[in-house]
Short mmCIF file of all heavy atoms in Angstrom, two decimals:
data_model
loop_
_atom_site.label_atom_id
_atom_site.label_comp_id
_atom_site.label_asym_id
_atom_site.label_seq_id
_atom_site.Cartn_x
_atom_site.Cartn_y
_atom_site.Cartn_z
N GLN A 167 -20.07 -3.02 -20.94
CA GLN A 167 -20.13 -1.72 -21.64
C GLN A 167 -20.13 -0.63 -20.58
O GLN A 167 -20.93 -0.68 -19.63
CB GLN A 167 -21.40 -1.63 -22.48
CG GLN A 167 -21.57 -0.33 -23.23
CD GLN A 167 -22.88 -0.28 -24.03
OE1 GLN A 167 -23.76 -1.13 -23.87
NE2 GLN A 167 -22.99 0.70 -24.88
N THR A 168 -19.25 0.35 -20.70
CA THR A 168 -19.19 1.41 -19.73
C THR A 168 -19.16 2.79 -20.44
O THR A 168 -18.77 2.89 -21.61
CB THR A 168 -17.94 1.35 -18.85
OG1 THR A 168 -16.78 1.43 -19.66
CG2 THR A 168 -17.91 0.07 -18.02
N GLN A 169 -19.64 3.80 -19.73
CA GLN A 169 -19.51 5.18 -20.20
C GLN A 169 -19.27 6.04 -18.98
O GLN A 169 -19.89 5.85 -17.92
CB GLN A 169 -20.79 5.63 -20.89
CG GLN A 169 -20.69 7.08 -21.41
CD GLN A 169 -21.97 7.52 -22.07
OE1 GLN A 169 -22.98 7.70 -21.42
NE2 GLN A 169 -21.89 7.68 -23.39
N SER A 170 -18.32 6.96 -19.08
CA SER A 170 -18.08 7.89 -17.98
C SER A 170 -17.95 9.29 -18.54
O SER A 170 -17.48 9.51 -19.66
CB SER A 170 -16.83 7.51 -17.20
OG SER A 170 -15.70 7.62 -18.01
N ILE A 171 -18.41 10.25 -17.72
CA ILE A 171 -18.31 11.67 -18.07
C ILE A 171 -17.85 12.40 -16.82
O ILE A 171 -18.35 12.14 -15.72
CB ILE A 171 -19.69 12.25 -18.52
CG1 ILE A 171 -20.23 11.46 -19.72
CG2 ILE A 171 -19.59 13.74 -18.82
CD1 ILE A 171 -21.68 11.81 -20.08
N GLY A 172 -16.91 13.28 -16.97
CA GLY A 172 -16.41 14.07 -15.82
C GLY A 172 -16.52 15.56 -16.11
O GLY A 172 -16.12 16.03 -17.19
N ILE A 173 -17.04 16.31 -15.16
CA ILE A 173 -17.21 17.76 -15.29
C ILE A 173 -16.48 18.42 -14.11
O ILE A 173 -16.54 17.95 -12.99
CB ILE A 173 -18.71 18.16 -15.19
CG1 ILE A 173 -19.57 17.39 -16.21
CG2 ILE A 173 -18.91 19.65 -15.27
CD1 ILE A 173 -19.38 17.83 -17.63
N ARG A 174 -15.77 19.50 -14.38
CA ARG A 174 -15.15 20.31 -13.31
C ARG A 174 -15.62 21.75 -13.53
O ARG A 174 -15.40 22.30 -14.61
CB ARG A 174 -13.63 20.22 -13.40
CG ARG A 174 -12.88 21.17 -12.52
CD ARG A 174 -12.71 20.62 -11.14
NE ARG A 174 -11.77 21.50 -10.42
CZ ARG A 174 -11.87 21.77 -9.17
NH1 ARG A 174 -12.83 21.23 -8.44
NH2 ARG A 174 -11.02 22.60 -8.60
N ASP A 175 -16.30 22.28 -12.56
CA ASP A 175 -16.90 23.62 -12.67
C ASP A 175 -17.84 23.62 -13.89
O ASP A 175 -18.82 22.92 -13.86
CB ASP A 175 -15.83 24.71 -12.72
CG ASP A 175 -15.02 24.79 -11.41
OD1 ASP A 175 -15.56 24.40 -10.36
OD2 ASP A 175 -13.84 25.17 -11.46
N ALA A 177 -16.83 22.97 -17.16
CA ALA A 177 -16.09 22.42 -18.30
C ALA A 177 -16.10 20.90 -18.27
O ALA A 177 -15.91 20.29 -17.20
CB ALA A 177 -14.66 22.94 -18.31
N VAL A 178 -16.28 20.31 -19.43
CA VAL A 178 -16.17 18.85 -19.55
C VAL A 178 -14.67 18.50 -19.48
O VAL A 178 -13.86 19.04 -20.21
CB VAL A 178 -16.76 18.37 -20.88
CG1 VAL A 178 -16.54 16.88 -21.07
CG2 VAL A 178 -18.24 18.73 -21.00
N GLN A 179 -14.34 17.64 -18.54
CA GLN A 179 -12.95 17.20 -18.38
C GLN A 179 -12.66 15.91 -19.14
O GLN A 179 -11.56 15.69 -19.64
CB GLN A 179 -12.61 17.00 -16.89
CG GLN A 179 -12.73 18.24 -16.08
CD GLN A 179 -11.67 19.26 -16.46
OE1 GLN A 179 -10.49 18.97 -16.41
NE2 GLN A 179 -12.12 20.43 -16.86
N SER A 180 -13.66 15.02 -19.19
CA SER A 180 -13.41 13.73 -19.86
C SER A 180 -14.73 13.06 -20.22
O SER A 180 -15.76 13.28 -19.57
CB SER A 180 -12.63 12.80 -18.94
OG SER A 180 -13.41 12.50 -17.79
N THR A 181 -14.70 12.30 -21.29
CA THR A 181 -15.75 11.36 -21.63
C THR A 181 -15.07 10.10 -22.14
O THR A 181 -14.00 10.17 -22.76
CB THR A 181 -16.69 11.93 -22.75
OG1 THR A 181 -15.94 12.10 -23.95
CG2 THR A 181 -17.36 13.21 -22.34
N ASN A 182 -15.68 9.01 -21.83
CA ASN A 182 -15.08 7.73 -22.27
C ASN A 182 -16.18 6.71 -22.44
O ASN A 182 -17.05 6.55 -21.59
CB ASN A 182 -14.09 7.24 -21.20
CG ASN A 182 -13.39 5.98 -21.65
OD1 ASN A 182 -12.88 5.90 -22.78
ND2 ASN A 182 -13.35 4.98 -20.78
N ASP A 183 -16.14 6.01 -23.57
CA ASP A 183 -17.02 4.88 -23.85
C ASP A 183 -16.12 3.68 -24.11
O ASP A 183 -15.13 3.79 -24.85
CB ASP A 183 -17.88 5.14 -25.08
CG ASP A 183 -18.92 6.22 -24.86
OD1 ASP A 183 -19.92 5.86 -24.19
OD2 ASP A 183 -18.74 7.33 -25.31
N ALA A 184 -16.47 2.55 -23.53
CA ALA A 184 -15.65 1.35 -23.72
C ALA A 184 -16.52 0.10 -23.67
O ALA A 184 -17.56 0.06 -23.03
CB ALA A 184 -14.57 1.25 -22.64
N ILE A 253 -35.23 2.69 -19.06
CA ILE A 253 -34.64 3.39 -20.19
C ILE A 253 -33.17 2.95 -20.24
O ILE A 253 -32.44 3.12 -19.27
CB ILE A 253 -34.72 4.92 -20.04
CG1 ILE A 253 -36.19 5.35 -19.99
CG2 ILE A 253 -33.98 5.61 -21.15
CD1 ILE A 253 -36.39 6.82 -19.67
N ASP A 254 -32.75 2.41 -21.35
CA ASP A 254 -31.34 2.04 -21.51
C ASP A 254 -30.52 3.32 -21.47
O ASP A 254 -30.64 4.17 -22.32
CB ASP A 254 -31.15 1.32 -22.83
CG ASP A 254 -29.72 0.84 -23.08
OD1 ASP A 254 -28.80 1.26 -22.35
OD2 ASP A 254 -29.55 0.04 -24.04
N PRO A 255 -29.65 3.48 -20.45
CA PRO A 255 -28.90 4.75 -20.35
C PRO A 255 -27.96 4.96 -21.53
O PRO A 255 -27.58 6.11 -21.81
CB PRO A 255 -28.13 4.59 -19.04
CG PRO A 255 -28.07 3.12 -18.80
CD PRO A 255 -29.32 2.54 -19.39
N PHE A 256 -27.64 3.92 -22.27
CA PHE A 256 -26.76 4.06 -23.41
C PHE A 256 -27.48 4.59 -24.63
O PHE A 256 -26.85 4.95 -25.63
CB PHE A 256 -26.02 2.73 -23.72
CG PHE A 256 -25.03 2.38 -22.66
CD1 PHE A 256 -25.37 1.58 -21.58
CD2 PHE A 256 -23.74 2.90 -22.72
CE1 PHE A 256 -24.45 1.27 -20.59
CE2 PHE A 256 -22.82 2.57 -21.73
CZ PHE A 256 -23.17 1.77 -20.68
N THR A 257 -28.82 4.70 -24.55
CA THR A 257 -29.59 5.29 -25.65
C THR A 257 -29.83 6.78 -25.42
O THR A 257 -30.30 7.47 -26.31
CB THR A 257 -30.93 4.57 -25.84
OG1 THR A 257 -31.76 4.79 -24.67
CG2 THR A 257 -30.76 3.10 -26.13
N VAL A 258 -29.53 7.28 -24.22
CA VAL A 258 -29.65 8.70 -23.92
C VAL A 258 -28.45 9.42 -24.54
O VAL A 258 -27.30 9.03 -24.32
CB VAL A 258 -29.73 8.95 -22.41
CG1 VAL A 258 -29.79 10.44 -22.11
CG2 VAL A 258 -30.91 8.21 -21.78
N ASP A 259 -28.72 10.47 -25.30
CA ASP A 259 -27.66 11.21 -25.98
C ASP A 259 -26.64 11.76 -24.99
O ASP A 259 -27.02 12.32 -23.94
CB ASP A 259 -28.25 12.35 -26.82
CG ASP A 259 -27.21 13.05 -27.66
OD1 ASP A 259 -26.83 12.48 -28.69
OD2 ASP A 259 -26.77 14.16 -27.24
N VAL A 260 -25.36 11.58 -25.28
CA VAL A 260 -24.31 12.03 -24.37
C VAL A 260 -24.40 13.53 -24.12
O VAL A 260 -24.10 14.03 -23.01
CB VAL A 260 -22.92 11.60 -24.88
CG1 VAL A 260 -22.49 12.39 -26.11
CG2 VAL A 260 -21.87 11.74 -23.78
N GLN A 261 -24.85 14.31 -25.09
CA GLN A 261 -24.99 15.77 -24.90
C GLN A 261 -26.06 16.09 -23.86
O GLN A 261 -25.92 17.05 -23.10
CB GLN A 261 -25.28 16.43 -26.23
CG GLN A 261 -24.11 16.41 -27.22
CD GLN A 261 -22.83 16.96 -26.64
OE1 GLN A 261 -22.82 18.00 -25.97
NE2 GLN A 261 -21.74 16.29 -26.88
N ASP A 262 -27.10 15.26 -23.81
CA ASP A 262 -28.12 15.46 -22.76
C ASP A 262 -27.54 15.18 -21.35
O ASP A 262 -27.84 15.90 -20.41
CB ASP A 262 -29.32 14.55 -23.00
CG ASP A 262 -30.13 14.92 -24.25
OD1 ASP A 262 -29.98 16.07 -24.71
OD2 ASP A 262 -30.87 14.04 -24.74
N LYS A 263 -26.72 14.18 -21.26
CA LYS A 263 -26.09 13.84 -19.98
C LYS A 263 -25.12 14.97 -19.57
O LYS A 263 -25.13 15.41 -18.40
CB LYS A 263 -25.36 12.53 -20.07
CG LYS A 263 -26.24 11.33 -20.35
CD LYS A 263 -25.40 10.11 -20.62
CE LYS A 263 -26.26 8.98 -21.18
NZ LYS A 263 -25.45 7.83 -21.54
N ILE A 264 -24.33 15.41 -20.49
CA ILE A 264 -23.39 16.52 -20.22
C ILE A 264 -24.17 17.77 -19.84
O ILE A 264 -23.84 18.46 -18.86
CB ILE A 264 -22.48 16.78 -21.43
CG1 ILE A 264 -21.48 15.63 -21.58
CG2 ILE A 264 -21.74 18.13 -21.27
CD1 ILE A 264 -20.69 15.67 -22.88
N GLY A 265 -25.24 18.08 -20.53
CA GLY A 265 -26.09 19.24 -20.23
C GLY A 265 -26.64 19.17 -18.82
O GLY A 265 -26.64 20.18 -18.09
N LEU A 266 -27.07 18.02 -18.38
CA LEU A 266 -27.59 17.87 -17.02
C LEU A 266 -26.49 18.12 -15.98
O LEU A 266 -26.70 18.86 -15.03
CB LEU A 266 -28.17 16.46 -16.83
CG LEU A 266 -28.72 16.17 -15.44
CD1 LEU A 266 -29.96 17.01 -15.13
CD2 LEU A 266 -29.06 14.69 -15.33
N LEU A 267 -25.31 17.54 -16.21
CA LEU A 267 -24.20 17.74 -15.26
C LEU A 267 -23.76 19.18 -15.21
O LEU A 267 -23.49 19.74 -14.15
CB LEU A 267 -23.02 16.82 -15.63
CG LEU A 267 -23.28 15.32 -15.47
CD1 LEU A 267 -22.10 14.52 -16.04
CD2 LEU A 267 -23.52 14.94 -14.01
N LEU A 268 -23.69 19.83 -16.38
CA LEU A 268 -23.29 21.25 -16.43
C LEU A 268 -24.32 22.13 -15.74
O LEU A 268 -23.98 23.06 -15.01
CB LEU A 268 -23.06 21.68 -17.86
CG LEU A 268 -21.81 21.16 -18.54
CD1 LEU A 268 -21.78 21.53 -20.03
CD2 LEU A 268 -20.55 21.67 -17.84
N ASP A 269 -25.60 21.81 -15.97
CA ASP A 269 -26.65 22.59 -15.31
C ASP A 269 -26.54 22.50 -13.78
O ASP A 269 -26.61 23.54 -13.10
CB ASP A 269 -28.04 22.06 -15.75
CG ASP A 269 -29.16 22.76 -15.01
OD1 ASP A 269 -29.36 23.96 -15.20
OD2 ASP A 269 -29.83 22.07 -14.19
N ARG A 270 -26.31 21.31 -13.27
CA ARG A 270 -26.18 21.15 -11.83
C ARG A 270 -24.93 21.88 -11.31
O ARG A 270 -24.96 22.53 -10.25
CB ARG A 270 -26.10 19.67 -11.44
CG ARG A 270 -27.33 18.84 -11.77
CD ARG A 270 -28.63 19.43 -11.20
NE ARG A 270 -29.76 18.58 -11.28
CZ ARG A 270 -30.62 18.56 -12.24
NH1 ARG A 270 -30.53 19.39 -13.28
NH2 ARG A 270 -31.67 17.77 -12.23
N SER A 271 -23.84 21.82 -12.07
CA SER A 271 -22.61 22.51 -11.65
C SER A 271 -22.79 24.02 -11.62
O SER A 271 -22.40 24.70 -10.69
CB SER A 271 -21.46 22.14 -12.59
OG SER A 271 -21.08 20.81 -12.38
N GLU A 272 -23.46 24.52 -12.68
CA GLU A 272 -23.70 25.99 -12.76
C GLU A 272 -24.60 26.43 -11.61
O GLU A 272 -24.34 27.50 -11.02
CB GLU A 272 -24.31 26.34 -14.12
CG GLU A 272 -23.31 26.22 -15.26
CD GLU A 272 -23.98 26.20 -16.64
OE1 GLU A 272 -25.23 26.31 -16.73
OE2 GLU A 272 -23.24 26.06 -17.61
N SER A 284 -17.37 19.42 -8.91
CA SER A 284 -17.01 18.25 -9.71
C SER A 284 -18.25 17.41 -9.83
O SER A 284 -18.94 17.15 -8.84
CB SER A 284 -15.91 17.43 -9.02
OG SER A 284 -14.70 18.14 -9.01
N ALA A 285 -18.58 17.01 -11.03
CA ALA A 285 -19.73 16.14 -11.23
C ALA A 285 -19.33 15.05 -12.22
O ALA A 285 -18.46 15.25 -13.08
CB ALA A 285 -20.88 16.97 -11.84
N GLY A 286 -19.92 13.90 -12.05
CA GLY A 286 -19.55 12.81 -12.95
C GLY A 286 -20.69 11.83 -13.10
O GLY A 286 -21.63 11.80 -12.33
N LEU A 287 -20.54 11.05 -14.13
CA LEU A 287 -21.51 9.97 -14.39
C LEU A 287 -20.65 8.75 -14.76
O LEU A 287 -19.66 8.86 -15.49
CB LEU A 287 -22.36 10.39 -15.57
CG LEU A 287 -23.22 9.27 -16.19
CD1 LEU A 287 -24.62 9.80 -16.44
CD2 LEU A 287 -22.59 8.74 -17.44
N PHE A 288 -21.03 7.63 -14.20
CA PHE A 288 -20.39 6.39 -14.60
C PHE A 288 -21.48 5.35 -14.72
O PHE A 288 -22.24 5.13 -13.76
CB PHE A 288 -19.35 5.91 -13.57
CG PHE A 288 -18.62 4.67 -13.99
CD1 PHE A 288 -17.67 4.73 -14.99
CD2 PHE A 288 -18.94 3.45 -13.40
CE1 PHE A 288 -17.00 3.59 -15.39
CE2 PHE A 288 -18.26 2.31 -13.82
CZ PHE A 288 -17.30 2.38 -14.79
N GLN A 289 -21.63 4.78 -15.88
CA GLN A 289 -22.68 3.76 -16.08
C GLN A 289 -22.04 2.49 -16.64
O GLN A 289 -21.07 2.54 -17.38
CB GLN A 289 -23.77 4.29 -16.99
CG GLN A 289 -23.32 4.73 -18.35
CD GLN A 289 -24.41 5.52 -19.09
OE1 GLN A 289 -25.09 6.37 -18.50
NE2 GLN A 289 -24.59 5.22 -20.35
N VAL A 290 -22.64 1.39 -16.22
CA VAL A 290 -22.12 0.08 -16.61
C VAL A 290 -23.31 -0.74 -17.07
O VAL A 290 -24.38 -0.71 -16.51
CB VAL A 290 -21.48 -0.62 -15.38
CG1 VAL A 290 -21.04 -2.03 -15.76
CG2 VAL A 290 -20.33 0.18 -14.84
N ASN A 291 -23.08 -1.49 -18.10
CA ASN A 291 -24.11 -2.41 -18.61
C ASN A 291 -23.42 -3.74 -18.86
O ASN A 291 -22.51 -3.83 -19.68
CB ASN A 291 -24.73 -1.86 -19.88
CG ASN A 291 -26.06 -2.54 -20.17
OD1 ASN A 291 -26.48 -3.44 -19.47
ND2 ASN A 291 -26.71 -2.05 -21.19
N ARG A 293 -23.82 -7.18 -20.41
CA ARG A 293 -24.69 -7.88 -21.37
C ARG A 293 -24.06 -9.16 -21.77
O ARG A 293 -22.89 -9.24 -21.98
CB ARG A 293 -24.91 -7.03 -22.60
CG ARG A 293 -25.70 -5.78 -22.32
CD ARG A 293 -25.88 -5.00 -23.56
NE ARG A 293 -26.63 -3.81 -23.25
CZ ARG A 293 -27.21 -3.09 -24.19
NH1 ARG A 293 -27.10 -3.38 -25.44
NH2 ARG A 293 -27.87 -2.03 -23.86
#
Side-chain angles (χ1 to χ4, degrees):
Q167 179 182 11
T168 60
Q169 181 180 69
S170 64
I171 301 170
I173 305 288
R174 170 86 169 144
D175 296 332
V178 176
Q179 298 293 303
S180 64
T181 63
N182 184 49
D183 290 284
I253 298 173
D254 182 347
F256 291 92
T257 64
V258 177
D259 187 77
V260 71
Q261 293 305 317
D262 292 341
K263 296 171 191 176
I264 290 171
L266 178 67
L267 293 172
L268 288 173
D269 175 66
R270 298 305 191 267
S271 290
E272 290 165 1
S284 292
L287 169 136
F288 183 74
Q289 57 192 45
V290 177
N291 199 356
R293 294 180 179 195

